[in-house]
Amino acid sequence: EIENGLAIMRDGLTAWRQTGSAFRLPERLARAAETYRLANHPGEAMALIAEAFDRSDDKWLAPELHRIQGELLLEAGKPAA
C-alpha cells in the first residue's frame, strides 16, 4: 500500500498548493520528503527538501531540513556538502 499512500499524499499536497496558502508549507514539504525517503524514493524526497529550503526562512525548521537532507545523502553514499 506504500505507492497508494504516496499517491494520496501527493494528491493532498497538490490540492494544498492549489489553495494558494503558504501556511507551514516548508514543514509540509519536509514531512512529505521524509515519507518519500522512507519509501525509497530519494529523487522525489530531495526535490521536496530543496523546495522546502527555498521556501523557508524559519530557523526552527532548518535543523530538520538538514537532517532529512543528510539522511538522503548518506543513503545515496554521497558526502554532505
Side-chain angles (χ1 to χ4, degrees), residues 15-59:
W16 175 263
R17 291 174 194 266
Q18 290 173 347
T19 69
S21 175
F23 180 70
R24 298 185 82 158
L25 181 59
E27 185 179 357
R28 294 171 199 279
L29 294 169
R31 293 298 123 237
E34 179 72 352
T35 303
Y36 274 98
R37 184 187 75 78
L38 293 170
N40 201 28
H41 291 274
E44 291 91 339
M46 195 58 88
L48 289 165
I49 283 296
E51 183 181 355
F53 273 120
D54 287 344
R55 293 181 174 263
S56 180
D57 59 359
D58 294 327
K59 302 303 180 211

